Amino acid sequence: MSDADETWEVNRARDGKDETFESNLPKKGPLGQAFAPVAGFGITLRNFFKPTVTEQYPRVKTPPMPRYHGRHQLNRYADGLEKCIGCELCAWACPADAIYVEADSNTPDNQVSPGERYGRVYQINYLRCIFCGLCIEACPTRALTMTNEYELAGPTREGLIYEKQDLLAPLEEGMLQAPHPMVPGTTDGDYYRGDVTEVVKEQLEWVRTNRPDEPTLPENAALAAEEAR
Amino acid sequence: MTATADKAAVETVTLTIDGQEVTVPKGTLIIRAAEQIGVEIPRFCDHPALKPAGACRQCLVDVASPGPDGNLRAFPKPQASCTMAVTEGMVVNTQHTSEEADRAQKGVMELLLINHPLDCPVCDKGGECPLQNQAMSHGHSETRFVDVKRIFEKPLPLSSEILLDRERCVLCQRCTRFSKEIAGDAFIDLQNRGAMQQIGTFNENVLDFDGYTPAAPAAEDESGRAFSSYYSGNTVQICPVGALTSAAYRFRSRPFDLVSSPGISEHDSSGSAIRTDHRRGKILRRLADNDPVVNEDWITDKDRFAFSWQNLSDRLERPLVRKDGELVEASWPEAIAAAAAGLKAARDGKGVGVLPGGRVTLEDAYAYGKFARVALGTNDIDHRTRLASAEEQAFLGSTVAASGLGVTFADLEKAPSVLMVGFEPEDEGGVVFLRLRKSLGKQKVFTAAPFLSRGAEKLAASLLPVAPGGEAALLDGLDGDAVEALSAEGAVIIVGERLAATPGALTAAASLATRTGARLAWIPRRAGERGAVEAGTLPGLLPGGRAATDATARAGVAEAWGVDSLPSTEGRDAAAIIAAASAGDLDALVVGGVTASDVTGLADAVANAGFVVSLEVRRSDVAEQADVVLPVAPPSEKAGTFVNWEGRLRSFATAIATDALSDYRVLDILARELGADLHAGTIAEINGELAALGAAPAPQRPAVPAAKAPKAPKKGDVVLASWHQLIDEGALQDGEPYLAGTGRATVARVSKATAKAAGFSEGAITVTGATGESISVPAVITDMVDGVVWLPTKSPGSWVAQELGVAPGTVVTVKGGA
Ligand code: SF4
Ligand code: SF4
Ligand code: SF4
Ligand code: FES
């Protein structure tokens, strides 16, 4: 006798009268009652004739909806400077406390983003992130957006704390790896408004002098491609 | 506000604010009266510690007051509530009850924001910004301004530490008012007019700051030079916007990242209340905490910015033991065993000397004292790793130790006259200077020094010119104005720790105090000095001012400590311990937070002593030479008590919990290994014992000193004068280049006649000590006593103890040229 039955007995005894209970389910006819034990096979049978929904993941990957909240990305301006200014507003907005930012000063030798300030340390802990997207709303420079990447599992905890280099957008064609100076005569406002559209020669010159081996310099492109291979 | 004033005598005024009646003392400002009933009026320029300015106009309220006929008459326009004092029957309507006031405030806010960059994401003030907050609570939510905003180059470094963003400035003038009214360093002021009005620095030559240039170059604005003040960090704290920021904290964090812990500054004997803001166990900034009885709202830049020393790469995390000539990391049990073995051998041999240093907390000092006497059986302990004398010890034992709260900050402020001897208010006093300056014009200040330092000058002090060594004679022979002023009720004589260098000077100061009825205040430089005196880390002093030479006192302490007897042999003082260790007359040394480069001869002593145990936070020059190094906690990682110069107990709790041990814990463990129980395992135990011991009865104290004044130096001899500048190369200021840049440039000072005799006209000067070592630094001809050369004690290029190897007060040779 299970515990529940015992309770039942006790209650009944206490009430001192017999009770009857009626099921809410519709009553089955005699035929229905006869087939009841095998009725479940009906569902199986019915699904033989329906379209297949099985996903062949991970052999076949299906793209999610375009606005799916996946892994974050730290974007860049057209000349390769980072958009993130290390303001920590994303960290402030995060309800799960998944973001950790430490900012620092841009200097003439180390201009990472336009303006005075850049994010030196940027971490998102994907064990905490709930993909709500509040950080994206908070970001004043549109540095932070979300990609569609959803494969965020791993064997270690450390591996799921993504660092800045894991989150930075890849350099597109024509972009120059930061740090390098801003386009001469522009302000961070010009960058923000989208007035900077390409790398200029002063920036190329600066990188040539300071990091001649920089793979994103046009003259090093062939070499870099080779190395990548 | 002086709440202590006699309540009955205070005239009060009753007025109505937002329909609520309130009675306040006459002369109260409307904004303060409103605060008392919980009505918050928005403000920027108003600051309780500064004089009203009415600069920002954010605090406008509607005011009506009864006219001569008794009828209520409203002011035609809203009035600034931070400048207007309350009157009887006044009716004030703030933004809560008056649409007019609300509209006025919103209008002011709109004007303030017209040229404001609103770059909150890159602004250090974001998240704790009164402008942000008040724009949200009292501003329009939409801007109507569509034109281009005014642009300034930013940031503009006023000094290496203080950065100014003129775009964000709301021209409240808190910074300039602080600099002028409180610190007396009017390096910055309002410049230009209209939209171009801005804060800027002025040329120090114009303002007569000759010879006090900052050490590092700072950018110049249109007209100016750099902002070189020991108190400049306070402007950053009181700036209501992100216009003034510090280079050290720039972009380091947001307020919501920070955990704030209250604390006490470890940098001087004032015991200023500070707030330590840390993130993930790392200190990011320190702010002044308001403590009306001690530092009020202000701290020095050293208190504020010098904290990175404790987390530099040379921070010790594990004990070190010397093996085959190399210091290697060891476990605690191994290191303690090694230290105990070495000390035991030395104890049974020629003995051990203990140098706790002057930065210890009261509890640590007590443990050092007890450790020396109980575990090592010696009186060879002295925290005074500076100029000291037996006379000073007698003075400390008879007048300072266990005397409780003596002269206080408030007494200094109220004193009708103050005499400072062997004490530089700005360089050695920190916030003591600010307190004295508060009474500028109401107080007669005299300073006995070779020249009028900038700090003394800002106090409008009268100089009693004296060469080092002449203080005793000066005090004995003092008459005229100074004696008359000091005879006034409440007058104070401040003696600094440097006075110990002149025989007879402390005796003379004490007798002058008796002669004039002035009160005596001993203001040492380092934070632990007073606590160490209380705890008895002097060769001739036991806790509570008991003389170690007095058998009854010894017996009493021995009983309290549960030991048979205390060592009765006369102890050596710090200089003697160092000499003995160098000469091989001591077998071992236990050294606390002392830097060898600060103390002449210590490096030799450490090298020659057979066995050295160092209790250090960092791999200091002493630790590097030691045989066993036991890591201890810096003040932010431990709890304890500093006793400030007033005798006030300044207890603080652990700001950042780590597993670093305080000195007393380490000594307690070490003593056990040596077979003695110190009962000094916890702060409660130590404080319990200290309280039980109490102050010594008069007969058990050392006698009041009676030393003779020295002979005056020969004519033609040049005597070295020296003191630490507040911002210099002290070990506790390491790792803070921005702060170092605001220190004063290193210069030597000589009088015209001395310069002439030395063949100096311009450029560098070379000072050579008796040992033949010398220092060459640029010199400035100063209006000062002849036959004296002044050098900063540990400023860049002028490490007197290490490079010159002679003490201030000795005769040196001076030559023009490098
Ligand atoms: S990602 Fe955006 S919100 Fe986050 S720190 Fe960078 S700029 Fe600020
Ligand atoms: S001062 Fe305040 S309002 Fe102005 S930019 Fe900084 S945080 Fe924003
Ligand atoms: S810098 Fe700050 S404190 Fe100074 S006037 Fe401007 S807003 Fe006020
Ligand atoms: S607070 Fe009153 S005018 Fe600024």
Side-chain angles (χ1 to χ4, degrees):
Chain A
M1 202 195 270
S2 74
D3 280 0
D5 287 346
E6 191 136 32
T7 324
W8 182 247
E9 285 291 333
V10 169
N11 283 344
R12 233 199 306 210
R14 192 177 56 204
D15 291 351
K17 55 180 178 217
D18 279 345
E19 288 175 59
T20 47
F21 294 92
E22 239 168 72
S23 167
N24 283 334
L25 297 171
K27 285 251 164 55
K28 289 197 172 95
L31 205 63
Q33 277 180 15
F35 278 107
V38 291
F41 291 114
I43 297 170
T44 316
L45 252 163
R46 218 177 322 136
N47 276 297
F48 277 147
F49 307 102
K50 284 210 176 152
T52 324
V53 292
T54 311
E55 305 257 350
Q56 294 304 320
Y57 181 82
R59 260 169 288 140
V60 182
K61 285 181 192 154
T62 331
M65 300 303 277
R67 290 171 65 183
Y68 175 81
H69 284 183
R71 174 177 72 72
H72 300 74
Q73 171 165 297
L74 285 171
N75 299 308
R76 297 173 188 269
Y77 288 111
D79 64 353
L81 284 182
E82 292 169 11
K83 285 189 176 178
C84 175
I85 50 172
C87 68
E88 298 195 28
L89 289 181
C90 47
W92 205 342
C94 180
D97 200 6
I99 308 185
Y100 178 80
V101 186
E102 269 180 39
D104 214 333
S105 302
N106 280 318
T107 58
D109 297 335
N110 188 33
Q111 182 89 37
V112 180
S113 70
E116 294 175 70
R117 178 172 177 145
Y118 78 101
R120 184 171 53 81
V121 177
Y122 195 100
Q123 297 175 341
I124 298 185
N125 183 344
Y126 282 107
L127 294 164
R128 307 195 72 155
C129 177
I130 55 169
F131 302 94
C132 64
L134 287 179
C135 48
I136 312 302
E137 281 179 47
C139 182
T141 59
R142 298 177 208 153
L144 195 64
T145 52
M146 278 170 145
T147 64
N148 285 346
E149 191 188 324
Y150 50 80
E151 291 179 309
L152 294 164
T156 62
R157 284 174 177 272
E158 300 84 69
L160 285 167
I161 299 173
Y162 278 48
E163 298 276 351
K164 189 170 150 188
Q165 69 270 15
D166 309 323
L167 296 165
L168 264 177
L171 286 150
E172 281 167 25
E173 190 65 34
M175 282 184 179
L176 190 57
Q177 177 73 275
H180 57 68
M182 293 162 66
V183 172
T186 58
T187 64
D188 44 350
D190 298 326
Y191 272 82
Y192 179 68
R193 282 186 290 275
D195 295 345
V196 173
T197 51
E198 57 181 11
V199 176
V200 297
K201 64 173 189 310
E202 285 89 346
Q203 294 174 309
L204 288 170
E205 272 320 306
W206 190 91
V207 175
R208 271 184 198 121
T209 337
N210 290 283
R211 298 198 309 272
D213 297 333
E214 173 57 51
T216 52
L217 278 172
E219 61 266 34
N220 296 340
L223 208 68
E226 194 142 303
E227 242 164 56
R229 219 154 14 90
Chain B
M1 243 177 286
T2 46
T4 44
D6 191 5
K7 290 240 167 55
V10 175
E11 256 188 89
T12 57
V13 166
T14 303
L15 73 158
T16 314
I17 300 175
D18 286 351
Q20 230 177 309
E21 214 165 77
V22 56
T23 305
V24 292
K26 201 172 167 204
T28 306
L29 299 169
I30 297 177
I31 201 165
R32 295 278 113 72
E35 276 168 9
Q36 291 194 8
I37 53 164
V39 173
E40 171 97 8
I41 300 169
R43 83 281 310 263
F44 293 111
C45 67
D46 171 69
H47 190 285
L50 300 174
K51 293 201 194 94
C56 72
R57 317 310 289 175
Q58 188 58 54
C59 63
L60 295 177
V61 292
D62 255 349
V63 182
S65 58
D69 52 357
N71 288 336
L72 213 55
R73 285 226 301 262
F75 280 80
K77 286 183 194 155
Q79 298 295 308
S81 61
C82 72
T83 51
M84 186 175 267
V86 294
T87 57
E88 190 63 43
M90 190 182 249
V91 175
V92 176
N93 288 306
T94 71
Q95 72 279 7
H96 299 297
T97 49
S98 155
E99 225 170 90
E100 178 74 10
D102 189 46
R103 213 157 44 86
Q105 289 179 5
K106 289 215 163 99
V108 170
M109 180 62 78
E110 192 171 14
L111 280 169
L112 282 180
L113 291 180
I114 276 188
N115 270 322
H116 196 87
L118 286 177
D119 49 1
C120 310
V122 294
C123 177
D124 269 337
K125 203 80 175 180
E128 52 181 0
C129 176
L131 180 58
Q132 266 184 335
N133 295 345
Q134 286 171 173
M136 296 292 280
S137 56
H138 305 289
H140 294 297
S141 46
E142 295 281 321
T143 176
R144 292 184 286 169
F145 186 75
V146 288
D147 292 305
V148 177
K149 296 197 180 207
R150 174 200 58 195
I151 289 176
F152 283 122
E153 188 205 320
K154 64 192 210 175
L156 178 73
L158 297 180
S159 66
S160 55
E161 182 70 84
I162 311 296
L163 310 174
L164 170 67
D165 184 320
R166 289 165 292 175
E167 291 178 357
R168 293 184 193 135
C169 173
V170 293
L171 298 172
C172 70
Q173 299 171 50
R174 276 187 181 184
C175 54
T176 55
R177 283 185 292 148
F178 168 81
S179 300
K180 254 182 257 172
E181 285 171 23
I182 310 283
D185 294 319
F187 286 95
I188 49 172
D189 210 338
L190 270 187
Q191 307 176 345
N192 286 341
R193 293 248 151 222
M196 292 310 286
Q197 194 167 42
Q198 56 182 282
I199 301 292
T201 54
F202 278 98
N203 191 323
E204 65 257 39
N205 295 325
V206 177
L207 293 178
D208 205 16
F209 295 141
D210 225 3
Y212 286 97
T213 42
E220 296 173 1
D221 77 337
E222 295 148 329
S223 59
R225 289 286 189 278
F227 186 24
S228 165
S229 164
Y230 286 158
Y231 307 96
S232 60
N234 291 301
T235 61
V236 175
Q237 189 171 347
I238 59 173
C239 178
V241 293
L244 288 167
T245 53
S246 67
Y249 180 65
R250 187 170 158 83
F251 304 156
R252 283 297 175 281
S253 74
R254 291 285 175 204
F256 60 86
D257 299 324
L258 299 171
V259 179
S260 299
S261 313
I264 300 296
S265 171
E266 75 272 32
H267 288 300
D268 59 35
S269 63
S270 294
S272 299
I274 54 166
R275 193 183 105 191
T276 304
D277 282 357
H278 47 101
R279 178 187 198 183
R280 296 191 171 197
K282 195 171 153 216
I283 305 177
L284 287 173
R285 67 171 174 189
R286 303 213 302 200
L287 300 174
D289 240 351
N290 175 295
D291 190 332
V293 292
V294 176
N295 56 315
E296 299 191 309
D297 296 278
W298 322 117
I299 53 175
T300 64
D301 283 2
K302 189 165 154 188
D303 292 338
R304 184 180 305 269
F305 296 120
F307 54 78
S308 36
W309 64 273
Q310 42 188 297
N311 289 316
L312 295 178
S313 55
D314 57 2
R315 170 76 189 266
L316 290 163
E317 273 161 12
R318 262 173 288 280
L320 304 175
V321 173
R322 192 170 294 280
K323 284 181 189 157
D324 306 325
E326 286 289 313
L327 276 181
V328 290
E329 283 197 354
S331 68
W332 271 101
E334 186 189 345
I336 292 284
L343 291 179
K344 207 176 272 173
R347 179 178 65 184
D348 303 337
K350 289 185 197 155
V352 186
V354 183
L355 300 170
R359 303 180 191 126
V360 282
T361 61
L362 174 65
E363 293 81 3
D364 290 341
Y366 182 76
Y368 273 110
K370 201 168 172 185
F371 181 76
R373 279 155 184 140
V374 175
L376 299 176
T378 177
N379 275 322
D380 290 343
I381 176 167
D382 196 348
H383 68 272
R384 299 172 300 168
T385 41
R386 52 172 169 86
L387 283 180
S389 64
E391 180 197 2
E392 187 198 21
Q393 172 168 296
F395 169 78
L396 294 176
S398 61
T399 352
V400 175
S403 59
L405 202 57
V407 178
T408 62
F409 275 101
D411 294 339
L412 279 190
E413 187 183 332
K414 281 190 298 223
S417 58
V418 173
L419 167 66
M420 305 180 289
V421 208
F423 176 73
E424 276 310 316
E426 248 195 333
D427 284 322
E428 296 169 311
V431 290
V432 173
F433 166 79
L434 295 184
R435 248 334 157 82
L436 289 173
R437 194 162 188 285
K438 224 176 149 190
S439 306
L440 184 68
K442 291 180 246 159
Q443 191 171 60
K444 279 208 186 107
V445 182
F446 300 90
T447 176
F451 63 94
L452 200 59
S453 66
R454 171 134 178 80
E457 192 186 322
K458 285 192 287 179
L459 293 176
S462 323
L463 179 70
L464 307 173
V466 61
E471 290 94 342
L474 175 95
L475 294 179
D476 281 335
L478 203 64
D479 55 9
D481 263 9
V483 167
E484 202 173 295
L486 288 173
S487 306
E489 172 84 28
V492 176
I493 300 173
I494 301 177
V495 291
E497 62 177 37
R498 275 186 290 121
L499 210 52
T502 307
L506 284 164
T507 312
S511 82
L512 179 66
T514 327
R515 181 147 61 96
T516 56
R519 299 173 71 194
L520 205 55
W522 178 67
I523 308 191
R525 204 173 62 85
R526 293 177 297 179
E529 293 264 355
R530 177 70 191 258
V533 170
E534 303 291 332
T537 54
L538 289 158
L541 216 54
L542 297 169
R546 291 171 177 78
T549 43
D550 185 285
T552 341
R554 274 205 312 273
V557 177
E559 197 193 321
W561 284 353
V563 291
D564 297 337
S565 67
L566 294 185
S568 55
T569 43
E570 201 177 323
R572 300 177 172 96
D573 69 5
I577 292 175
I578 289 170
S582 303
D585 292 341
L586 272 178
D587 276 346
L589 285 178
V590 175
V591 188
V594 186
T595 315
S597 58
D598 283 341
V599 191
T600 310
L602 182 57
D604 275 350
V606 170
N608 291 346
F611 188 76
V612 178
V613 178
S614 165
L615 280 78
E616 255 295 359
V617 177
R618 295 162 57 194
R619 271 184 100 116
S620 67
D621 41 12
V622 172
E624 216 53 72
Q625 296 292 320
D627 296 283
V628 177
V629 184
L630 302 170
V632 291
S636 58
E637 293 173 26
K638 67 181 182 190
T641 308
F642 284 126
V643 187
N644 77 353
W645 63 263
E646 302 170 276
R648 201 184 291 278
L649 297 179
R650 308 289 285 160
S651 298
F652 57 94
T654 312
I656 300 174
T658 63
D659 52 11
L661 302 177
S662 201
D663 298 39
Y664 66 81
R665 278 285 294 150
V666 176
L667 291 170
D668 186 65
I669 298 167
L670 188 54
R672 244 172 258 196
E673 196 76 14
L674 284 165
D677 195 348
L678 292 193
H679 297 288
T682 64
I683 287 193
E685 257 179 310
I686 294 175
N687 287 341
E689 280 196 9
L690 267 169
L693 278 167
Q700 293 184 17
R701 285 180 176 263
V704 179
K708 283 263 173 357
K711 278 211 247 358
K714 277 208 301 300
K715 222 172 158 59
D717 275 353
V718 180
V719 181
L720 175 69
S722 179
W723 57 76
H724 285 268
Q725 295 195 310
L726 185 79
I727 293 169
D728 62 5
E729 294 192 327
L732 264 48
Q733 296 175 63
D734 282 351
E736 205 40 77
Y738 304 116
L739 174 69
T742 67
R744 288 169 182 168
T746 306
V747 289
R749 290 178 187 279
V750 281
S751 72
K752 211 167 182 177
T754 316
K756 199 159 157 235
F760 165 83
S761 58
E762 207 176 331
I765 201 169
T766 304
V767 181
T768 313
T771 52
E773 308 202 43
S774 64
I775 288 180
S776 299
V777 286
V780 173
I781 293 184
T782 309
D783 188 8
M784 66 190 279
V785 182
D786 291 334
V788 174
V789 58
W790 178 84
L791 284 173
T793 306
K794 213 188 181 192
S795 293
S798 173
W799 287 24
V800 170
Q802 179 168 311
E803 290 170 2
L804 212 52
V806 299
T810 47
V811 174
V812 290
T813 28
V814 179
K815 260 233 234 20

